[in-house]
Amino acid sequence: DSGVTQTPKHLITATGQRVTLRCSPRSGDLSVYWYQQSLDQGLQFLIQYYNGEERAKGNILERFSAQQFPDLHSELNLSSLELGDSALYFCASRVRSNNEQFFGPGTRLTVL
Amino acid sequence: GDSVTQMEGPVTLSEEAFLTINCTYTATGYPSLFWYVQYPGEGLQLLLKATKADDKGSNKGFEATYRKETTSFHLEKGSVQVSDSAVYFCALWGAAGNKLTFGGGTRVLVKP
């Protein structure tokens, strides 16, 4: 158990819909990273938050957004969903002192 | 930008065989290098890491040496078990210091 929690574990929805994925980092970690794992694109970094502020952006679509709340949990919002958004979405929190990232179990999103 | 290239799988081995997964990288400066493992249906777990040239990371019988001259971080295990069946990801934390860059992953299947 990495200490990073993600909900829900599975999500099935239809094209055009909007979903919210939730992540709670390990106790004491201020950073949250979101990654997308798909068959064709592999593991891609989406976005990072640190103590409530956006710190870095990767290959995140404009239809996607995220935020980190004062209790440090983070939410990834995916809207106007397309079939190609079907993927595993991971969040990770980072040990500040040595750049190690600990990953949650992921949310598997299926868009039908 | 930073990139990681690792050998494509699947790699199929018999139990007690020797495993090597090649990984090479492109990055500016001196990245930290990691191997993550993803067991079926689970998230990514940090397997081992190395933070500077000639460092050797090791864990659970796996080893990898940070070779700056060849920009490589090959993963090896002398005697694999069925329980080592998983997808292995090579990754780097670059000088920009804001995300992990992953290779495409190598699926390993160990048969009894």
Side-chain angles (χ1 to χ4, degrees), chain A residues 65-102:
Chain A
S65 65
Q67 57 186 125
Q68 187 179 27
F69 295 86
D71 67 351
L72 301 177
H73 91 272
S74 177
E75 293 181 357
L76 180 67
N77 301 296
L78 315 177
S79 61
S80 302
L81 286 167
E82 302 175 0
L83 295 177
D85 297 327
S86 295
L88 261 171
Y89 291 84
F90 289 106
C91 80
S93 69
R94 181 169 75 101
V95 178
R96 188 176 180 183
S97 58
N98 61 16
N99 296 331
E100 289 182 22
Q101 289 194 3
F102 291 84

mmCIF file of all heavy atoms in Angstrom, chain A residues 65-102:
data_model
loop_
_atom_site.group_PDB
_atom_site.id
_atom_site.type_symbol
_atom_site.label_atom_id
_atom_site.label_comp_id
_atom_site.label_asym_id
_atom_site.label_seq_id
_atom_site.Cartn_x
_atom_site.Cartn_y
_atom_site.Cartn_z
ATOM 1 N N SER A 65 -9.277 19.405 -16.427
ATOM 2 C CA SER A 65 -8.785 20.388 -15.466
ATOM 3 C C SER A 65 -8.601 19.702 -14.128
ATOM 4 O O SER A 65 -9.106 18.600 -13.905
ATOM 5 C CB SER A 65 -9.775 21.551 -15.319
ATOM 6 O OG SER A 65 -10.995 21.088 -14.768
ATOM 7 N N ALA A 66 -7.861 20.327 -13.262
ATOM 8 C CA ALA A 66 -7.605 19.736 -11.948
ATOM 9 C C ALA A 66 -7.524 20.840 -10.915
ATOM 10 O O ALA A 66 -7.390 22.028 -11.246
ATOM 11 C CB ALA A 66 -6.308 18.917 -11.971
ATOM 12 N N GLN A 67 -7.607 20.439 -9.677
ATOM 13 C CA GLN A 67 -7.377 21.369 -8.584
ATOM 14 C C GLN A 67 -6.955 20.587 -7.354
ATOM 15 O O GLN A 67 -7.187 19.374 -7.262
ATOM 16 C CB GLN A 67 -8.622 22.212 -8.298
ATOM 17 C CG GLN A 67 -9.881 21.431 -7.982
ATOM 18 C CD GLN A 67 -11.097 22.356 -7.853
ATOM 19 O OE1 GLN A 67 -12.110 22.174 -8.518
ATOM 20 N NE2 GLN A 67 -10.996 23.337 -6.995
ATOM 21 N N GLN A 68 -6.310 21.293 -6.447
ATOM 22 C CA GLN A 68 -5.914 20.709 -5.178
ATOM 23 C C GLN A 68 -6.511 21.563 -4.070
ATOM 24 O O GLN A 68 -6.373 22.786 -4.070
ATOM 25 C CB GLN A 68 -4.387 20.638 -5.042
ATOM 26 C CG GLN A 68 -3.931 19.885 -3.803
ATOM 27 C CD GLN A 68 -2.422 19.797 -3.684
ATOM 28 O OE1 GLN A 68 -1.699 20.655 -4.187
ATOM 29 N NE2 GLN A 68 -1.931 18.756 -3.031
ATOM 30 N N PHE A 69 -7.131 20.901 -3.130
ATOM 31 C CA PHE A 69 -7.884 21.577 -2.084
ATOM 32 C C PHE A 69 -7.022 21.799 -0.844
ATOM 33 O O PHE A 69 -5.937 21.237 -0.719
ATOM 34 C CB PHE A 69 -9.129 20.745 -1.759
ATOM 35 C CG PHE A 69 -10.088 20.662 -2.906
ATOM 36 C CD1 PHE A 69 -9.944 19.686 -3.890
ATOM 37 C CD2 PHE A 69 -11.123 21.571 -3.033
ATOM 38 C CE1 PHE A 69 -10.817 19.612 -4.972
ATOM 39 C CE2 PHE A 69 -12.005 21.504 -4.101
ATOM 40 C CZ PHE A 69 -11.847 20.524 -5.065
ATOM 41 N N PRO A 70 -7.506 22.641 0.092
ATOM 42 C CA PRO A 70 -6.710 22.925 1.299
ATOM 43 C C PRO A 70 -6.329 21.682 2.096
ATOM 44 O O PRO A 70 -5.282 21.676 2.743
ATOM 45 C CB PRO A 70 -7.626 23.848 2.109
ATOM 46 C CG PRO A 70 -8.435 24.557 1.077
ATOM 47 C CD PRO A 70 -8.681 23.535 -0.004
ATOM 48 N N ASP A 71 -7.144 20.614 2.032
ATOM 49 C CA ASP A 71 -6.750 19.393 2.755
ATOM 50 C C ASP A 71 -5.787 18.542 1.923
ATOM 51 O O ASP A 71 -5.452 17.428 2.312
ATOM 52 C CB ASP A 71 -7.981 18.572 3.146
ATOM 53 C CG ASP A 71 -8.707 17.995 1.946
ATOM 54 O OD1 ASP A 71 -8.374 18.367 0.794
ATOM 55 O OD2 ASP A 71 -9.621 17.188 2.138
ATOM 56 N N LEU A 72 -5.365 19.053 0.790
ATOM 57 C CA LEU A 72 -4.365 18.490 -0.130
ATOM 58 C C LEU A 72 -4.893 17.396 -1.048
ATOM 59 O O LEU A 72 -4.130 16.920 -1.915
ATOM 60 C CB LEU A 72 -3.122 17.992 0.625
ATOM 61 C CG LEU A 72 -2.402 19.068 1.433
ATOM 62 C CD1 LEU A 72 -1.230 18.469 2.197
ATOM 63 C CD2 LEU A 72 -1.933 20.196 0.515
ATOM 64 N N HIS A 73 -6.151 17.007 -0.899
ATOM 65 C CA HIS A 73 -6.645 16.059 -1.887
ATOM 66 C C HIS A 73 -6.817 16.790 -3.222
ATOM 67 O O HIS A 73 -6.935 18.023 -3.256
ATOM 68 C CB HIS A 73 -7.927 15.366 -1.421
ATOM 69 C CG HIS A 73 -9.208 16.048 -1.807
ATOM 70 N ND1 HIS A 73 -9.810 17.023 -1.039
ATOM 71 C CD2 HIS A 73 -9.985 15.878 -2.898
ATOM 72 C CE1 HIS A 73 -10.917 17.417 -1.637
ATOM 73 N NE2 HIS A 73 -11.047 16.757 -2.769
ATOM 74 N N SER A 74 -6.805 16.029 -4.277
ATOM 75 C CA SER A 74 -6.889 16.631 -5.608
ATOM 76 C C SER A 74 -7.994 15.966 -6.412
ATOM 77 O O SER A 74 -8.329 14.807 -6.179
ATOM 78 C CB SER A 74 -5.554 16.459 -6.333
ATOM 79 O OG SER A 74 -5.611 16.970 -7.648
ATOM 80 N N GLU A 75 -8.545 16.719 -7.316
ATOM 81 C CA GLU A 75 -9.561 16.198 -8.224
ATOM 82 C C GLU A 75 -9.173 16.509 -9.658
ATOM 83 O O GLU A 75 -8.688 17.608 -9.951
ATOM 84 C CB GLU A 75 -10.936 16.794 -7.901
ATOM 85 C CG GLU A 75 -11.479 16.337 -6.564
ATOM 86 C CD GLU A 75 -12.839 16.904 -6.237
ATOM 87 O OE1 GLU A 75 -13.361 17.715 -7.030
ATOM 88 O OE2 GLU A 75 -13.379 16.522 -5.181
ATOM 89 N N LEU A 76 -9.377 15.528 -10.513
ATOM 90 C CA LEU A 76 -9.143 15.692 -11.952
ATOM 91 C C LEU A 76 -10.505 15.629 -12.622
ATOM 92 O O LEU A 76 -11.227 14.643 -12.472
ATOM 93 C CB LEU A 76 -8.233 14.580 -12.470
ATOM 94 C CG LEU A 76 -7.898 14.604 -13.963
ATOM 95 C CD1 LEU A 76 -7.045 15.819 -14.312
ATOM 96 C CD2 LEU A 76 -7.173 13.315 -14.369
ATOM 97 N N ASN A 77 -10.857 16.689 -13.298
ATOM 98 C CA ASN A 77 -12.140 16.789 -13.965
ATOM 99 C C ASN A 77 -11.967 16.589 -15.466
ATOM 100 O O ASN A 77 -11.151 17.270 -16.098
ATOM 101 C CB ASN A 77 -12.769 18.162 -13.715
ATOM 102 C CG ASN A 77 -12.968 18.426 -12.238
ATOM 103 O OD1 ASN A 77 -13.733 17.732 -11.576
ATOM 104 N ND2 ASN A 77 -12.264 19.418 -11.709
ATOM 105 N N LEU A 78 -12.713 15.647 -16.010
ATOM 106 C CA LEU A 78 -12.643 15.348 -17.434
ATOM 107 C C LEU A 78 -14.019 15.620 -18.035
ATOM 108 O O LEU A 78 -15.021 15.037 -17.575
ATOM 109 C CB LEU A 78 -12.265 13.878 -17.659
ATOM 110 C CG LEU A 78 -11.121 13.318 -16.799
ATOM 111 C CD1 LEU A 78 -10.921 11.830 -17.089
ATOM 112 C CD2 LEU A 78 -9.835 14.078 -17.053
ATOM 113 N N SER A 79 -14.086 16.480 -19.027
ATOM 114 C CA SER A 79 -15.387 16.836 -19.591
ATOM 115 C C SER A 79 -15.438 16.556 -21.083
ATOM 116 O O SER A 79 -14.409 16.287 -21.717
ATOM 117 C CB SER A 79 -15.676 18.321 -19.323
ATOM 118 O OG SER A 79 -14.694 19.120 -19.939
ATOM 119 N N SER A 80 -16.654 16.615 -21.619
ATOM 120 C CA SER A 80 -16.890 16.336 -23.051
ATOM 121 C C SER A 80 -16.139 15.088 -23.465
ATOM 122 O O SER A 80 -15.387 15.088 -24.447
ATOM 123 C CB SER A 80 -16.456 17.534 -23.898
ATOM 124 O OG SER A 80 -17.132 18.700 -23.516
ATOM 125 N N LEU A 81 -16.343 14.040 -22.703
ATOM 126 C CA LEU A 81 -15.538 12.830 -22.872
ATOM 127 C C LEU A 81 -15.672 12.217 -24.254
ATOM 128 O O LEU A 81 -16.761 12.202 -24.859
ATOM 129 C CB LEU A 81 -15.908 11.808 -21.800
ATOM 130 C CG LEU A 81 -15.373 12.135 -20.409
ATOM 131 C CD1 LEU A 81 -16.041 11.263 -19.367
ATOM 132 C CD2 LEU A 81 -13.868 11.984 -20.366
ATOM 133 N N GLU A 82 -14.551 11.712 -24.729
ATOM 134 C CA GLU A 82 -14.478 11.025 -26.015
ATOM 135 C C GLU A 82 -14.010 9.592 -25.786
ATOM 136 O O GLU A 82 -13.445 9.275 -24.731
ATOM 137 C CB GLU A 82 -13.505 11.768 -26.939
ATOM 138 C CG GLU A 82 -13.881 13.211 -27.187
ATOM 139 C CD GLU A 82 -12.834 13.948 -27.995
ATOM 140 O OE1 GLU A 82 -11.812 13.333 -28.373
ATOM 141 O OE2 GLU A 82 -13.041 15.155 -28.264
ATOM 142 N N LEU A 83 -14.241 8.754 -26.792
ATOM 143 C CA LEU A 83 -13.832 7.353 -26.658
ATOM 144 C C LEU A 83 -12.349 7.242 -26.335
ATOM 145 O O LEU A 83 -11.931 6.392 -25.550
ATOM 146 C CB LEU A 83 -14.130 6.602 -27.957
ATOM 147 C CG LEU A 83 -15.606 6.469 -28.344
ATOM 148 C CD1 LEU A 83 -15.722 5.758 -29.695
ATOM 149 C CD2 LEU A 83 -16.385 5.728 -27.276
ATOM 150 N N GLY A 84 -11.565 8.117 -26.935
ATOM 151 C CA GLY A 84 -10.120 8.079 -26.744
ATOM 152 C C GLY A 84 -9.655 8.471 -25.355
ATOM 153 O O GLY A 84 -8.469 8.337 -25.041
ATOM 154 N N ASP A 85 -10.559 8.952 -24.514
ATOM 155 C CA ASP A 85 -10.194 9.297 -23.143
ATOM 156 C C ASP A 85 -10.200 8.069 -22.238
ATOM 157 O O ASP A 85 -9.778 8.147 -21.084
ATOM 158 C CB ASP A 85 -11.164 10.341 -22.576
ATOM 159 C CG ASP A 85 -11.119 11.646 -23.345
ATOM 160 O OD1 ASP A 85 -10.027 12.006 -23.853
ATOM 161 O OD2 ASP A 85 -12.177 12.298 -23.467
ATOM 162 N N SER A 86 -10.671 6.955 -22.761
ATOM 163 C CA SER A 86 -10.644 5.715 -21.983
ATOM 164 C C SER A 86 -9.193 5.372 -21.662
ATOM 165 O O SER A 86 -8.355 5.258 -22.566
ATOM 166 C CB SER A 86 -11.274 4.571 -22.784
ATOM 167 O OG SER A 86 -12.643 4.817 -23.008
ATOM 168 N N ALA A 87 -8.904 5.222 -20.378
ATOM 169 C CA ALA A 87 -7.527 5.010 -19.935
ATOM 170 C C ALA A 87 -7.530 4.762 -18.437
ATOM 171 O O ALA A 87 -8.555 4.849 -17.771
ATOM 172 C CB ALA A 87 -6.665 6.239 -20.255
ATOM 173 N N LEU A 88 -6.337 4.450 -17.945
ATOM 174 C CA LEU A 88 -6.098 4.415 -16.505
ATOM 175 C C LEU A 88 -5.532 5.758 -16.096
ATOM 176 O O LEU A 88 -4.595 6.254 -16.731
ATOM 177 C CB LEU A 88 -5.069 3.338 -16.169
ATOM 178 C CG LEU A 88 -5.548 1.992 -15.675
ATOM 179 C CD1 LEU A 88 -4.381 1.019 -15.617
ATOM 180 C CD2 LEU A 88 -6.216 2.097 -14.322
ATOM 181 N N TYR A 89 -6.080 6.340 -15.060
ATOM 182 C CA TYR A 89 -5.594 7.625 -14.570
ATOM 183 C C TYR A 89 -4.994 7.404 -13.183
ATOM 184 O O TYR A 89 -5.662 6.921 -12.268
ATOM 185 C CB TYR A 89 -6.729 8.643 -14.528
ATOM 186 C CG TYR A 89 -7.186 9.033 -15.913
ATOM 187 C CD1 TYR A 89 -8.119 8.259 -16.599
ATOM 188 C CD2 TYR A 89 -6.650 10.144 -16.561
ATOM 189 C CE1 TYR A 89 -8.517 8.579 -17.883
ATOM 190 C CE2 TYR A 89 -7.043 10.478 -17.845
ATOM 191 C CZ TYR A 89 -7.976 9.688 -18.500
ATOM 192 O OH TYR A 89 -8.350 10.012 -19.781
ATOM 193 N N PHE A 90 -3.728 7.752 -13.085
ATOM 194 C CA PHE A 90 -3.022 7.584 -11.829
ATOM 195 C C PHE A 90 -2.727 8.940 -11.215
ATOM 196 O O PHE A 90 -2.447 9.911 -11.918
ATOM 197 C CB PHE A 90 -1.680 6.885 -12.045
ATOM 198 C CG PHE A 90 -1.784 5.439 -12.390
ATOM 199 C CD1 PHE A 90 -1.544 5.005 -13.682
ATOM 200 C CD2 PHE A 90 -2.109 4.501 -11.425
ATOM 201 C CE1 PHE A 90 -1.629 3.662 -14.013
ATOM 202 C CE2 PHE A 90 -2.205 3.158 -11.745
ATOM 203 C CZ PHE A 90 -1.964 2.742 -13.039
ATOM 204 N N CYS A 91 -2.745 8.987 -9.903
ATOM 205 C CA CYS A 91 -2.133 10.123 -9.249
ATOM 206 C C CYS A 91 -0.976 9.611 -8.406
ATOM 207 O O CYS A 91 -0.895 8.422 -8.073
ATOM 208 C CB CYS A 91 -3.122 10.923 -8.429
ATOM 209 S SG CYS A 91 -3.505 10.261 -6.823
ATOM 210 N N ALA A 92 -0.069 10.505 -8.129
ATOM 211 C CA ALA A 92 1.108 10.169 -7.351
ATOM 212 C C ALA A 92 1.426 11.335 -6.445
ATOM 213 O O ALA A 92 1.118 12.486 -6.762
ATOM 214 C CB ALA A 92 2.298 9.870 -8.261
ATOM 215 N N SER A 93 2.019 11.023 -5.296
ATOM 216 C CA SER A 93 2.551 12.096 -4.470
ATOM 217 C C SER A 93 4.038 11.888 -4.304
ATOM 218 O O SER A 93 4.543 10.776 -4.494
ATOM 219 C CB SER A 93 1.823 12.195 -3.127
ATOM 220 O OG SER A 93 2.085 11.102 -2.274
ATOM 221 N N ARG A 94 4.723 12.953 -4.020
ATOM 222 C CA ARG A 94 6.187 12.924 -4.093
ATOM 223 C C ARG A 94 6.809 13.155 -2.741
ATOM 224 O O ARG A 94 6.378 14.012 -1.984
ATOM 225 C CB ARG A 94 6.665 13.984 -5.071
ATOM 226 C CG ARG A 94 8.172 14.050 -5.256
ATOM 227 C CD ARG A 94 8.528 14.931 -6.429
ATOM 228 N NE ARG A 94 8.367 16.346 -6.145
ATOM 229 C CZ ARG A 94 9.360 17.177 -5.845
ATOM 230 N NH1 ARG A 94 10.584 16.710 -5.745
ATOM 231 N NH2 ARG A 94 9.136 18.453 -5.649
ATOM 232 N N VAL A 95 7.870 12.370 -2.495
ATOM 233 C CA VAL A 95 8.712 12.617 -1.343
ATOM 234 C C VAL A 95 9.632 13.771 -1.705
ATOM 235 O O VAL A 95 10.467 13.645 -2.595
ATOM 236 C CB VAL A 95 9.553 11.377 -0.981
ATOM 237 C CG1 VAL A 95 10.464 11.684 0.187
ATOM 238 C CG2 VAL A 95 8.647 10.200 -0.680
ATOM 239 N N ARG A 96 9.491 14.901 -1.051
ATOM 240 C CA ARG A 96 10.170 16.115 -1.470
ATOM 241 C C ARG A 96 11.690 15.966 -1.445
ATOM 242 O O ARG A 96 12.397 16.507 -2.270
ATOM 243 C CB ARG A 96 9.755 17.268 -0.565
ATOM 244 C CG ARG A 96 10.261 18.610 -1.030
ATOM 245 C CD ARG A 96 9.741 19.706 -0.145
ATOM 246 N NE ARG A 96 10.229 21.010 -0.589
ATOM 247 C CZ ARG A 96 9.978 22.139 0.041
ATOM 248 N NH1 ARG A 96 9.237 22.140 1.114
ATOM 249 N NH2 ARG A 96 10.451 23.280 -0.412
ATOM 250 N N SER A 97 12.167 15.184 -0.521
ATOM 251 C CA SER A 97 13.616 15.154 -0.318
ATOM 252 C C SER A 97 14.367 14.391 -1.402
ATOM 253 O O SER A 97 15.549 14.623 -1.613
ATOM 254 C CB SER A 97 13.931 14.534 1.037
ATOM 255 O OG SER A 97 13.392 13.226 1.093
ATOM 256 N N ASN A 98 13.678 13.458 -2.092
ATOM 257 C CA ASN A 98 14.460 12.645 -3.019
ATOM 258 C C ASN A 98 13.755 12.332 -4.332
ATOM 259 O O ASN A 98 14.180 11.464 -5.055
ATOM 260 C CB ASN A 98 14.863 11.321 -2.352
ATOM 261 C CG ASN A 98 13.653 10.509 -1.943
ATOM 262 O OD1 ASN A 98 12.545 10.762 -2.396
ATOM 263 N ND2 ASN A 98 13.858 9.519 -1.099
ATOM 264 N N ASN A 99 12.710 13.027 -4.660
ATOM 265 C CA ASN A 99 12.037 12.895 -5.954
ATOM 266 C C ASN A 99 11.357 11.558 -6.187
ATOM 267 O O ASN A 99 10.945 11.271 -7.294
ATOM 268 C CB ASN A 99 12.998 13.171 -7.115
ATOM 269 C CG ASN A 99 13.496 14.593 -7.087
ATOM 270 O OD1 ASN A 99 12.801 15.473 -6.619
ATOM 271 N ND2 ASN A 99 14.703 14.815 -7.553
ATOM 272 N N GLU A 100 11.241 10.710 -5.174
ATOM 273 C CA GLU A 100 10.502 9.475 -5.364
ATOM 274 C C GLU A 100 9.018 9.793 -5.415
ATOM 275 O O GLU A 100 8.527 10.615 -4.647
ATOM 276 C CB GLU A 100 10.754 8.504 -4.211
ATOM 277 C CG GLU A 100 12.131 7.902 -4.207
ATOM 278 C CD GLU A 100 12.311 6.919 -3.069
ATOM 279 O OE1 GLU A 100 11.288 6.405 -2.566
ATOM 280 O OE2 GLU A 100 13.454 6.699 -2.675
ATOM 281 N N GLN A 101 8.326 9.125 -6.315
ATOM 282 C CA GLN A 101 6.883 9.289 -6.401
ATOM 283 C C GLN A 101 6.197 7.998 -6.005
ATOM 284 O O GLN A 101 6.611 6.910 -6.399
ATOM 285 C CB GLN A 101 6.464 9.695 -7.808
ATOM 286 C CG GLN A 101 6.871 11.114 -8.165
ATOM 287 C CD GLN A 101 6.177 11.643 -9.397
ATOM 288 O OE1 GLN A 101 5.325 10.990 -9.993
ATOM 289 N NE2 GLN A 101 6.529 12.850 -9.785
ATOM 290 N N PHE A 102 5.133 8.132 -5.249
ATOM 291 C CA PHE A 102 4.334 6.992 -4.833
ATOM 292 C C PHE A 102 2.981 7.089 -5.520
ATOM 293 O O PHE A 102 2.303 8.117 -5.422
ATOM 294 C CB PHE A 102 4.181 6.977 -3.314
ATOM 295 C CG PHE A 102 5.463 6.660 -2.609
ATOM 296 C CD1 PHE A 102 6.388 7.660 -2.345
ATOM 297 C CD2 PHE A 102 5.765 5.367 -2.240
ATOM 298 C CE1 PHE A 102 7.588 7.379 -1.728
ATOM 299 C CE2 PHE A 102 6.965 5.067 -1.609
ATOM 300 C CZ PHE A 102 7.873 6.075 -1.349
#
